[in-house]
Amino acid sequence: MNKMEVRDRMKSGMKLTPLKIEISDKDVYIHPKMQEDLEGIMGCIERNALFGKEMGYSGIIFEGPAGTGKTLYAKWMAYKTNSNLVDVGLITGPDQIRDLYKGVRELRKSQDKPVLLFIDEIDRVSNRDDIVDPSQATTLNQLLMELDGTESNQGIYTLAATNRPEKIDNALRRPGRIGKEIYFYPPDEKGRNEVLRIHAFNKDHQFKVKDDDLKELAKITYGYTGADLKGVLTEAFVKANKDKRKDVEFQDLQYAFKKIKPSAIRDMAFKEPK
């Protein structure tokens, strides 16, 4: 089900249908800086009964540059914890928030398994200082009310994604609402190599890339996100295909590297030693 269908179902009063998860461990690279936090969150989700109705995480902010895998990790967490995932996309108003949480609670009760609610670009509705539309304030207030849980939210986890965390209202970021924050780092050299290997070897395309060439590419792609690296491989595949080849040469990767610029280099939280 796509995001438009989710909105239509909420408006018509129909029950929400969770997304079909088609992902596994081989599709995901876990950055070492994130591993401890992710393990803690997934443990909280898997054994939510231990935490009762008030303890544990209820909401998590995924923050970081575009293309670092925030949506991908939401799918992976749903896969690892055997949870339902509802991806609502962009929030459009307070009625949507109210109907959404009503539907999520019904889904939680009917299937008796955790529900992960993924909201992208949460900063669009959560900053009182940059209100453009009057409905923005009422949308934020409705979201705060639903997170506070006039009805029980046990087993329901709100995953809010943003690449502008400084724009999120402090009322939303406190513990008990969406108080846990995870920064999604662009991958380091080892991570870039792993991401390149995922897209070069674990997908259903017919192009062949040398492992040593991927290692060399990983060394020079500082600041590239996972989406950037996928884009580099795509450009290299296109070039090889134009030459009627399935074997991708390093010169194809070099050509593609020059075509795709790093989208996250300005937001890098660390520098790699040379």
Side-chain angles (χ1 to χ4, degrees):
M1 177 182 294
N2 60 37
K3 296 173 184 177
M4 186 63 71
E5 290 174 323
V6 170
R7 295 191 189 102
D8 291 342
R9 281 179 178 264
M10 288 190 296
K11 291 178 181 178
S12 62
M14 298 176 67
K15 293 182 178 179
L16 291 178
T17 302
L19 295 177
K20 183 179 180 181
I21 304 299
E22 297 178 340
I23 197 172
S24 66
D25 290 338
K26 66 182 179 64
D27 298 311
V28 179
Y29 166 73
I30 306 300
H31 197 293
K33 292 179 179 289
M34 299 168 53
Q35 188 159 359
E36 183 177 351
D37 279 335
L38 289 174
E39 289 176 350
I41 291 169
M42 289 190 294
C44 178
I45 295 171
E46 290 174 315
R47 296 176 289 279
N48 63 85
L50 291 174
F51 294 87
K53 294 182 179 180
E54 296 183 0
M55 303 302 292
Y57 300 127
S58 58
I60 303 99
I61 296 175
F62 288 177
E63 58 187 68
T68 47
K70 295 184 284 293
T71 304
L72 177 70
Y73 275 69
K75 294 178 180 179
W76 178 74
M77 289 174 64
Y79 158 74
K80 293 292 286 185
T81 60
N82 190 32
S83 300
N84 285 318
L85 176 64
V86 175
D87 184 356
V88 69
L90 300 179
I91 297 298
T92 58
D95 291 342
Q96 182 190 10
I97 290 287
R98 181 176 59 252
D99 294 341
L100 175 64
Y101 275 88
K102 179 180 179 181
V104 166
R105 293 184 187 110
E106 291 174 353
L107 178 64
R108 169 79 172 102
K109 292 177 182 177
S110 66
Q111 297 197 14
D112 193 27
K113 59 193 299 187
V115 180
L116 310 185
L117 176 61
F118 186 76
I119 303 176
D120 201 4
E121 296 188 37
I122 190 67
D123 51 275
R124 287 177 174 266
V125 298
S126 61
N127 187 357
R128 298 178 196 269
D129 296 330
D130 289 333
I131 292 179
V132 177
D133 186 329
S135 67
Q136 185 176 333
T138 55
T139 301
L140 174 58
N141 289 335
Q142 186 66 44
L143 178 58
L144 296 176
M145 289 174 58
E146 299 296 344
L147 290 170
D148 286 340
T150 52
E151 297 185 45
S152 175
N153 287 329
Q154 186 177 11
I156 297 171
Y157 302 88
T158 302
L159 310 181
T162 181
N163 55 13
R164 300 194 302 169
E166 73 281 357
K167 295 292 185 180
I168 298 178
D169 196 279
N170 287 333
L172 192 63
R173 300 174 80 166
R174 73 161 174 78
R177 290 173 176 168
I178 310 184
K180 178 66 176 177
E181 301 186 24
I182 298 182
Y183 186 85
F184 280 66
Y185 293 87
D188 56 13
E189 182 179 329
K190 178 184 176 182
R192 293 194 295 272
N193 187 41
E194 291 296 326
V195 171
L196 288 168
R197 287 176 56 84
I198 287 171
H199 293 294
F201 303 141
N202 294 338
K203 305 300 180 180
D204 60 356
H205 59 77
Q206 299 179 30
F207 292 95
K208 297 180 180 179
V209 188
K210 295 178 181 177
D211 199 10
D212 287 343
D213 287 348
L214 295 180
K215 290 179 181 178
E216 291 302 314
L217 182 61
K219 291 179 182 179
I220 62 175
T221 45
Y222 172 74
Y224 283 66
T225 66
D228 295 332
L229 296 170
K230 180 181 178 181
V232 170
L233 284 180
T234 297
E235 288 288 344
F237 292 173
V238 169
K239 187 176 186 302
N241 183 56
K242 287 171 64 178
D243 296 336
K244 304 297 189 292
R245 290 183 286 109
K246 292 183 180 179
D247 291 330
V248 177
E249 301 174 357
F250 189 66
Q251 65 180 14
D252 300 322
L253 298 173
Q254 288 178 311
Y255 165 83
F257 168 69
K258 295 176 182 178
K259 295 271 287 186
I260 304 294
K261 302 302 180 183
S263 61
I265 194 146
R266 295 179 181 177
D267 298 319
M268 291 285 276
F270 57 90
K271 298 293 183 182
E272 292 181 0
K274 301 298 182 184

